[in-house]
Amino acid sequence: MPTETLLLLVGAGHGHLHLLRHADRLTAVGYRVTLVAPRWFDYSGTASAVAAGGEDAGTGRVDVAALARGRVEHRVDLVTAVDLAARTARTRDGETVAWDVVSLNIGSVAAVPDGLVPDGLGDDVLRVKPLSSLTGLREHLRGAPTGRGHHVAVVGAGASGVELAAHLAARADVDRVRLLDVGSALGPPLPARARRRLARLLTERGVELRLGSRIRQVDGSGVTLEDGTRLAHDVAVLATGLAPPSLATRPPLGGPGGVPVRATLQHRDHDDVYAVGDCADFLPGALPRIGVHGVRQGPVLLSALEARRTGAAAPTYEPQRRALSVLDLGGGTALAVRGRWWWLGGASLRLKRRIDRRWISTYRA
């Protein structure tokens, strides 16, 4: 076994933050670690509240550079290509980084159907992922149109869309929030009574629900439905589901669902390639793209990398059957769901904020 193994970490998602915090364990077993990732990590659990102005801009932000300093070599950049044969990665700045083992934790992007946004107008329509794109919503809301409040369209009625619509409707300077979705179900999978209560809360706040809407096109000033109806707005946010970034979908590294990994978090065909979080296609069973899996895969990935150097058996990731999910709905309330149990109110929001702040503080020490 070589005296040193070059470990390249691509991206600084939930799982890789755990590796950074415990980088001494990696160096102790013989890794030389390089991280290629942006300076900042934005926590998805607070994204809707921050974007809609319900929380301070820095509430869910972690300084990756500060966390990496003194632990690993950090290159503030993005990886644009991974060459499995040459064992190199190419960065946006044109640099080549060699690796013996590589791990990807690069999150997800908004899954936007082809043709939904006209070419050249991408900057006029905001997306929920990557989270950096949502900063445009916060900036837009700083100044209201003359003589009235903002008119906002949220396209997609999943968890992110519902959170954003609820937060925006709670603002005094927003006159109209329209929540549209091609499907008939509101929110993520929820108990029937919780879904009805959520719909009632949105309606009470004045959110116009347009479920079952067939949408032809979205631009910066309006949504056009298939029947030609034009629904005007000042700003639109696409919350049309999540997909792996292009780096994770290009063969031979990845496929349509992301980087295919076994329960050991190793690539289906390459033992020296790992992937965790939203960019991974977990082959034992598809996982929803929610942060809890990236968080829980972090310790498994750390142990797997240690086992690789020490010769121990590789651990496996076993997803939890039921996980607590909390939707921050603004206005001092949240909806907490675990299995068939649910709670709506201020206590749920306090629980969420306590969990979120405890997790974030772990990486700010």
Side-chain angles (χ1 to χ4, degrees):
M1 179 180 291
T3 58
E4 188 175 60
T5 296
L6 302 179
L7 171 60
L8 173 61
L9 304 180
V10 180
H14 301 83
H16 281 181
L17 289 182
H18 184 78
L19 296 192
L20 293 181
R21 185 165 178 260
H22 298 282
D24 56 327
R25 287 172 53 178
L26 294 172
T27 55
V29 295
Y31 286 106
R32 179 153 65 88
V33 186
T34 299
L35 168 71
V36 179
R39 163 75 185 272
W40 301 100
F41 166 85
D42 291 303
Y43 178 55
S44 58
T46 59
S48 296
V50 170
E55 290 273 10
D56 292 337
T59 298
R61 178 158 278 194
V62 173
D63 188 340
V64 175
L67 182 62
R69 190 175 301 121
R71 292 181 167 96
V72 305
E73 178 189 352
H74 179 205
R75 302 189 185 190
V76 181
D77 205 341
L78 296 175
V79 167
T80 57
V82 174
D83 189 326
L84 298 178
R87 295 196 178 198
T88 60
R90 190 77 169 170
T91 73
R92 186 173 58 183
D93 288 347
E95 294 188 14
T96 299
V97 184
W99 52 266
D100 299 312
V101 179
V102 62
S103 177
L104 289 90
N105 187 198
I106 54 176
S108 55
V109 296
V112 181
D114 292 340
L116 186 66
V117 179
D119 292 340
L121 291 179
D123 293 340
D124 294 334
V125 180
L126 306 176
R127 292 158 170 77
V128 294
K129 284 284 190 87
L131 295 179
S132 56
S133 67
L134 266 184
T135 58
L137 177 60
R138 189 181 182 93
E139 292 302 315
H140 184 95
L141 295 173
R142 290 186 186 279
T146 303
R148 63 171 174 83
H150 299 283
H151 294 177
V152 186
V154 180
V155 182
S160 297
V162 165
E163 281 194 333
L164 281 169
H167 268 280
L168 291 166
R171 289 180 60 118
D173 59 352
V174 173
D175 281 355
R176 177 187 298 158
V177 178
R178 184 178 284 126
L179 180 60
L180 306 98
D181 198 294
V182 67
S184 59
L186 178 68
L190 294 170
R193 289 182 61 193
R195 193 183 305 279
R196 290 194 294 270
R197 182 64 186 91
L198 177 60
R200 190 163 75 249
L201 180 144
L202 292 172
T203 302
E204 289 169 351
R205 291 189 184 176
V207 176
E208 180 184 341
L209 298 177
R210 280 185 170 253
L211 304 180
S213 296
R214 293 189 173 275
I215 301 170
R216 180 191 304 165
Q217 200 169 81
V218 181
D219 58 46
S221 62
V223 174
T224 303
L225 303 182
E226 286 290 356
D227 63 5
T229 301
R230 179 76 173 172
L231 305 173
H233 56 243
D234 303 316
V235 61
V237 183
L238 297 183
T240 47
L242 302 176
S246 60
L247 175 64
T249 62
R250 294 197 298 267
L253 176 63
V259 180
V261 297
R262 295 163 273 163
T264 58
L265 305 179
Q266 292 169 288
H267 193 287
R268 177 186 54 208
D269 305 316
H270 303 277
D271 286 351
D272 49 5
V273 177
Y274 295 78
V276 295
D278 284 0
C279 71
D281 180 6
F282 191 68
L283 297 178
L287 300 176
R289 288 188 166 89
I290 54 177
V292 66
H293 292 297
V295 170
R296 290 177 176 158
Q297 287 171 343
V300 178
L301 177 60
L302 177 61
S303 296
L305 292 170
E306 288 177 312
R308 183 185 187 90
R309 287 286 302 180
T310 62
T316 59
Y317 178 63
E318 298 180 7
Q320 189 177 18
R321 287 186 59 193
R322 293 188 181 90
L324 174 68
S325 173
V326 187
L327 297 177
D328 181 352
L329 302 173
T333 193
L335 174 65
V337 181
R338 190 175 190 276
R340 63 188 181 90
W341 301 101
W342 60 278
W343 307 264
L344 177 71
S348 294
L349 181 61
R350 290 190 293 272
L351 172 64
K352 176 177 173 56
R353 288 183 173 170
R354 185 161 60 248
I355 293 171
D356 290 344
R357 288 169 180 168
R358 183 186 303 143
W359 187 85
I360 292 169
S361 67
T362 301
Y363 301 102
R364 286 180 171 172

